[in-house]
Amino acid sequence: MKLIKTMPILAMMFIMLMVSCKDKDNNDDDPTPTEDVAPTVLSTLPENNEMNIARNHNVVITFSEEMDPSTINNSTFTVEQGTADISGDVEYSGVEATFTPTEAFDASTEYTATISTEAKSQKGMNFEENYEWNFTTGGSEASIEGIDLGASGNYVILAKTAINNSGTSALTGDLALSPAATSYITGLALTDNTGYATSAQVTGQVFASDMADPTPMNLTTAVENMMTAYNNAAGRSETDFLELGAGNIGGKTLTSGVYKWTNTVTIPNDVTISGSSTDVWIFQIAEDLTMSSATNIILTGGAQAKNIYWQVAGHATLGTTSHFEGIILSMTGITFQTGASINGRALAQTAVVLDGNAVTQPAE
């Protein structure tokens, strides 16, 4: 009787032993969990075959694991245009390597980036094969077309709501205000004439929407043209330089092209704009433009103020005794602090505020 009762127990123990042996046999076929594998690429910036890349874009590669930093350098991480090597600096941190070109990439050009098999992981494992990817820059190889100012280009200052002056300014060129009336032009001691006014501070004429015909119609057209020019500048999509200097362009030399920022742009130090007399610069600024006191924009190589366009969605402020070059197209206001000067135009969709400034229209 005891033998009969113990038989089920023995059967169960036999089954458990068989299962254990089978699991052991299966585990013998599994690869060791500590086996080393070659590193791989998780992602790249730009992505493979990505188009319209800004010419100042860095090239970034993200690895599947930490790499041996001594093997991530200009020999193992390269960028080429055709068969020509591109000069740049390589930095490695965490699981990312960044290639920063010494000079901006060419416009509308395809480039090839490569991480070679000489790159090793921290475990000493090499890439199994070279990893390559391509990207193409944006911008235009041809000359950039300037902005048509239309009738707004007849004025050195054009505003919609007010032109306010303090101190004694020296304004060379015509001034205009519309749809606001003459009373919103202050601090210039105007002398009324038929269809225009004059001022001892203005080498030119002053116009407002409530003056005699044909001034009101002329100013309506000028304001419409100013807004069209603003939209033209803001709408240029062939971006050459994106977020240059994270918005701080002090100390930089700017070659011709379309520049775009999604934030505020500051000029804390002198800036050089370098190019020929036919080169064009378009600066698209999504927020404010602020220039520090006693700083200058310097033109070299024949660059001309009439070909430099600053499209500013926010407020443009030129600091005390600063000097500015180019045409400001502001959706908001333009403020010249004490003694600031400009060789260009101030075209604002609200007010222009002056304080003892020299404002001179650019040579044509």
Side-chain angles (χ1 to χ4, degrees):
M1 194 68 175
K2 287 183 179 180
L3 180 62
I4 295 172
K5 290 182 178 180
T6 58
M7 285 183 65
I9 297 174
L10 292 173
M12 183 178 296
M13 293 175 64
F14 177 76
I15 292 170
M16 293 175 65
L17 178 62
M18 293 297 292
V19 170
S20 176
C21 291
K22 184 176 181 181
D23 288 344
K24 184 177 185 302
D25 290 340
N26 289 339
N27 288 338
D28 288 343
D29 295 332
D30 291 342
T32 172
T34 59
E35 182 179 349
D36 290 333
V37 295
T40 59
V41 174
L42 292 183
S43 63
T44 64
L45 287 175
E47 296 179 355
N48 188 35
N49 295 324
E50 191 170 354
M51 307 290 288
N52 295 319
I53 301 303
R55 293 168 55 200
N56 63 317
H57 202 300
N58 291 338
V59 183
V60 181
I61 184 168
T62 302
F63 301 103
S64 59
E65 58 186 291
E66 290 189 14
M67 304 294 288
D68 178 353
S70 68
T71 68
I72 308 298
N73 50 51
N74 288 94
S75 297
T76 60
F77 185 9
T78 59
V79 177
E80 295 178 313
Q81 194 277 303
T83 58
D85 289 334
I86 302 302
S87 175
D89 297 322
V90 174
E91 295 182 354
Y92 176 76
S93 177
V95 292
E96 284 189 354
T98 301
F99 178 96
T100 303
T102 303
E103 297 182 355
F105 294 123
D106 291 336
S108 301
T109 302
E110 182 177 77
Y111 291 87
T112 300
T114 303
I115 187 76
S116 79
T117 56
E118 298 302 311
K120 294 182 180 181
S121 69
Q122 287 279 26
K123 299 174 184 177
M125 300 296 293
N126 293 76
F127 265 79
E128 292 183 343
E129 59 183 2
N130 289 354
Y131 184 92
E132 295 185 352
W133 71 103
N134 302 310
F135 61 91
T136 302
T137 54
S140 174
E141 291 181 297
S143 298
I144 301 170
E145 188 175 332
I147 306 296
D148 184 4
L149 299 178
S152 67
N154 295 332
Y155 307 98
V156 68
I157 295 176
L158 174 61
K160 293 177 67 175
T161 62
I163 299 174
N164 299 323
N165 177 63
S166 298
T168 301
S169 292
L171 313 177
T172 303
D174 292 343
L175 279 59
L177 179 66
S178 179
T182 308
S183 59
Y184 290 91
I185 301 175
T186 62
L188 292 176
L190 297 179
T191 299
D192 291 333
N193 289 275
T194 303
Y196 68 95
T198 59
S199 168
Q201 299 179 63
V202 180
T203 303
Q205 298 177 335
V206 181
F207 301 89
S209 63
D210 59 341
M211 293 179 178
D213 292 336
T215 294
M217 182 177 297
N218 290 344
L219 296 188
T220 297
T221 299
V223 169
E224 289 175 352
N225 292 168
M226 172 177 68
M227 296 172 69
T228 299
Y230 175 94
N231 292 332
N232 185 329
R236 296 295 181 94
S237 59
E238 292 186 330
T239 304
D240 290 280
F241 302 94
L242 180 64
E243 312 293 1
L244 182 68
N248 181 341
I249 59 174
K252 296 188 178 300
T253 297
L254 309 178
T255 57
S256 64
V258 177
Y259 294 70
K260 182 174 182 176
W261 293 273
T262 58
N263 52 18
T264 291
V265 170
T266 59
I267 307 177
N269 308 105
D270 290 356
V271 168
T272 300
I273 295 180
S274 178
S276 73
S277 61
T278 58
D279 283 341
V280 172
W281 293 258
I282 298 176
F283 302 107
Q284 301 170 329
I285 303 171
E287 296 181 8
D288 295 337
L289 168 64
T290 303
M291 188 173 189
S292 297
S293 298
T295 58
N296 301 282
I297 293 179
I298 302 164
L299 305 186
T300 64
Q304 297 193 54
K306 68 176 184 177
N307 296 328
I308 304 168
Y309 305 89
W310 302 82
Q311 174 259 314
V312 185
H315 199 100
T317 303
L318 308 187
T320 302
T321 69
S322 64
H323 177 71
F324 196 85
E325 295 277 347
I327 297 160
I328 303 175
L329 290 157
S330 173
M331 181 178 283
T332 317
I334 302 173
T335 297
F336 294 83
Q337 294 182 345
T338 307
S341 62
I342 180 175
N343 176 35
R345 302 184 192 277
L347 309 179
Q349 294 182 37
T350 58
V352 173
V353 178
L354 304 165
D355 186 3
N357 308 114
V359 180
T360 307
Q361 63 187 4
E364 293 298 328

